[in-house]
Amino acid sequence: MLREIRPAIVLLLVLTAITGLAYPLAMTGIAGAMFPAQAQGSLIDKDGKVVGSALIGQEFTDSKYFHGRPSATLAPDPNDSTKTVAAPYNAVNSGGSNLGPTSKALADRLKEDVDKLKAENSNAAVPVDLVTTSASGLDPDVSPEAAQFQVPRVAKARNMSEDQLNQLVASNTQGRLLGLLGEPRVNVLALNLALDRAAAK
């Protein structure tokens, strides 16, 4: 019986070593050598200190910064472990709200957000990505239209010209991958860091 089982055991150990150890270590080494920044999480630093990742959004609430998409991620309530509380951009608990198009709670939240944004800039239509969450709740980017929509508020809060901010948005807009894939986008953290640098001049 051992003679019949031995090849299966040997094959299991060999495949475990190849696919569970050798292959992952080789891919990690190759990725680290060819794409070091991406392999380390696409971290963004400011003055030598890591302030975030280009891949995970952050919550900006101050009027002098551009804001990202809403995030529906949650975290355990520190006062009651059986409940959850809102925790925007919580990478530990990535996910959407699961509210459907017939949800009254979703409709009420959307109306409230649209009204708030219209008060901020009544001259333009509210871009949909400023009021809808992404499936992951971690989207670090907004559309160029969403960034431009916020220019009047940021210009007023920073006492900067709208033309200067529009140029800043344009210079931080990434196009489609290979000119074909995806949509133009603006990384909110990178834009806000560029905004801080421009305001400091």
Side-chain angles (χ1 to χ4, degrees), residues 98-164:
N98 291 328
L99 297 177
T102 59
S103 167
K104 184 178 182 326
L106 177 61
D108 290 345
R109 193 214 23 105
L110 287 173
K111 183 181 182 319
E112 182 181 323
D113 288 355
V114 168
D115 290 345
K116 180 180 172 186
L117 289 166
K118 280 193 176 287
E120 180 182 299
N121 182 357
S122 60
N123 297 325
V126 176
V128 70
D129 54 324
L130 284 182
V131 294
T132 57
T133 62
S134 65
S136 68
L138 306 176
D139 194 347
D141 304 321
V142 293
S143 65
E145 295 78 20
Q148 289 161 353
F149 178 89
Q150 300 178 68
V151 163
R153 170 181 46 81
V154 176
K156 183 179 178 184
R158 294 263 186 171
N159 197 25
M160 295 173 72
S161 75
E162 290 189 18
D163 285 343
Q164 184 181 5

Side-chain angles (χ1 to χ4, degrees), residues 16 26 30 39 45 61 74 79 98 130 135 150 179 192 200:
T16 299
I30 291 168
D45 64 77
T61 56
L74 302 170
N79 301 319
N98 291 328
L130 284 182
Q150 300 178 68
N192 283 331

Side-chain angles (χ1 to χ4, degrees), residues 27-116:
M27 290 300 105
T28 301
I30 291 168
M34 293 179 67
F35 309 102
Q38 292 88 339
Q40 294 301 316
S42 299
L43 301 177
I44 296 176
D45 64 77
K46 178 182 179 183
D47 302 324
K49 180 182 174 187
V50 174
V51 293
S53 167
L55 304 175
I56 298 177
Q58 293 184 26
E59 185 176 31
F60 292 94
T61 56
D62 196 316
S63 61
K64 68 180 185 176
Y65 286 109
F66 289 89
H67 302 164
R69 293 183 73 166
S71 174
T73 56
L74 302 170
D77 187 335
N79 301 319
D80 184 352
S81 61
T82 63
K83 298 179 181 175
T84 56
V85 294
Y89 300 102
N90 178 9
V92 175
N93 196 15
S94 169
S97 68
N98 291 328
L99 297 177
T102 59
S103 167
K104 184 178 182 326
L106 177 61
D108 290 345
R109 193 214 23 105
L110 287 173
K111 183 181 182 319
E112 182 181 323
D113 288 355
V114 168
D115 290 345
K116 180 180 172 186

Side-chain angles (χ1 to χ4, degrees), residues 178-195:
L178 304 174
L180 299 168
L181 304 174
E183 293 294 325
R185 64 207 179 280
V186 180
N187 185 283
V188 178
L189 176 57
L191 177 60
N192 283 331
L193 291 173
L195 176 61

